[in-house]
Amino acid sequence: MKEQNEAQLLARAADLFERAEAGEIVYTPFLTPREQKILQVKYAFARERVLCAGGYVAAERRRMYMLPEYMAELDPNVRDELLAESFTASLLALSVRGSGYRELSHRDFLGAVLNLGIERDAIGDICVISPHEAILFCDRVMASFLQEHLVRVANDAVGVCEISLAPDFDGGRKFEPCSDTVASPRADAVVAALCNLSRERAQALFARAMVEIDYEPAEKYDREVSEGAIITVRGYGKFIVRSLSDKTKKGRFRLLADRYV
């Protein structure tokens, strides 16, 4: 299934790139970080004509924009103006605000959108900025549809409207600090510490394909983890490794990380 999905992703991207070669500015649906990585590797030869954007600097789900060859030679200001037109049509920010009747989670907002028959890749990040409001990203056509049809999230009435974001919008992400010491920077040791598990139970998670490192399935639990790595463990959460270099007097590695909350 993984290989089939990857083949479909590459085939769709090839069709878009062909259109870009013919002179269009084109873009993909919203891609997961792993999908972005696959396409960035595939189109590394056209690095100046391929870029990703998701509506704000720290966006995780982003579209890939493929540009005609002539745009690489344009004055940067002219190029930015042309890109801004594409972003205006494809990266709108919508506020989905509840009445305050109940607290709403990311799962509530996502479920309400998917229940309208919308595919997940038609929507970018869903940023929950308060217990009663989320900001999501989509194109202009989808924005009109959501403003008309998204009237409830869970059992709360909501209003949907287009908004402009502050330049420093960060998605409202919150982190919970984690710290421990590990015998080595091996992935199983790091996952065991982050998830408060034994080394054996952590290794079992790798065997069951429940661990991703930098958005790639992690098959080998004896690989080393480096600073900045993003580790996702199904059922336990998502973490970013901040430091894994200092050693204690006993020769163990100090692990500092943040857990997404």
Side-chain angles (χ1 to χ4, degrees):
M1 180 64 73
K2 172 187 167 185
E3 290 76 11
Q4 180 181 355
N5 291 341
E6 187 170 321
Q8 291 174 346
L9 172 70
L10 291 170
R12 289 195 297 266
D15 289 341
L16 289 173
F17 194 75
E18 187 174 334
R19 288 168 54 190
E21 293 278 68
E24 290 185 65
I25 299 176
V26 296
Y27 48 84
T28 66
F30 287 94
L31 305 173
T32 66
R34 180 174 179 275
E35 290 169 335
Q36 294 167 43
K37 206 170 178 183
I38 290 170
L39 294 187
Q40 285 167 341
V41 170
K42 175 68 176 177
Y43 292 98
F45 68 90
R47 194 182 309 275
E48 295 174 353
R49 296 168 49 205
V50 170
L51 63 98
C52 290
Y56 65 107
V57 173
E60 291 192 350
R61 288 180 177 265
R62 301 186 294 173
R63 295 186 187 275
M64 175 171 278
Y65 293 78
M66 297 179 173
L67 314 180
E69 190 171 3
Y70 72 84
M71 287 190 66
E73 302 171 2
L74 291 177
D75 177 273
N77 292 329
V78 176
R79 182 176 183 268
D80 289 346
E81 286 182 16
L82 293 174
L83 280 174
E85 292 179 10
S86 291
F87 291 161
T88 298
S90 60
L91 289 177
L92 277 70
L94 292 184
S95 166
V96 184
R97 184 189 292 270
S99 68
Y101 166 70
R102 57 159 290 179
E103 294 189 356
L104 301 170
S105 67
H106 182 279
R107 179 175 294 185
D108 292 327
F109 287 106
L110 176 59
V113 169
L114 298 183
N115 284 340
L116 294 174
I118 296 170
E119 296 292 333
R120 182 62 185 90
D121 64 6
I123 301 292
D125 283 2
I126 298 176
C127 306
V128 180
I129 59 173
S130 82
H132 310 295
E133 182 181 10
I135 293 172
L136 60 81
F137 298 84
C138 61
D139 63 27
R140 187 166 298 285
V141 173
M142 183 59 66
S144 297
F145 178 85
L146 290 172
Q147 286 174 299
E148 182 177 354
H149 297 285
L150 184 59
V151 294
R152 300 195 74 80
V153 171
N155 58 352
D156 191 14
V158 297
V160 182
C161 64
E162 184 179 337
I163 61 170
S164 296
L165 297 176
D168 62 350
F169 178 75
D170 63 1
R173 287 194 177 89
K174 296 179 181 178
F175 299 97
E176 179 181 86
C178 310
S179 62
D180 205 340
T181 62
V182 292
S184 78
R186 279 179 32 148
D188 56 347
V190 173
V191 168
L194 293 175
C195 301
N196 195 26
L197 300 171
S198 68
R199 194 82 163 260
E200 292 74 20
R201 288 189 65 188
Q203 291 174 0
L205 295 176
F206 285 86
R208 292 159 55 193
M210 296 177 67
V211 181
E212 288 187 354
I213 299 179
D214 290 331
Y215 304 105
E216 295 278 359
E219 299 174 354
K220 296 182 178 180
Y221 58 74
D222 59 351
R223 62 180 284 184
E224 287 198 358
V225 172
S226 57
E227 293 180 11
I230 295 176
I231 300 176
T232 305
V233 185
R234 197 183 313 158
Y236 292 90
K238 179 178 176 182
F239 309 84
I240 180 167
V241 176
R242 301 297 187 184
S243 177
L244 188 55
S245 56
D246 295 338
K247 284 189 176 182
T248 67
K249 292 181 179 179
K250 295 184 178 180
R252 291 175 66 83
F253 290 80
R254 290 190 178 90
L255 169 64
L256 298 177
D258 283 331
R259 179 179 181 274
Y260 287 74
V261 295

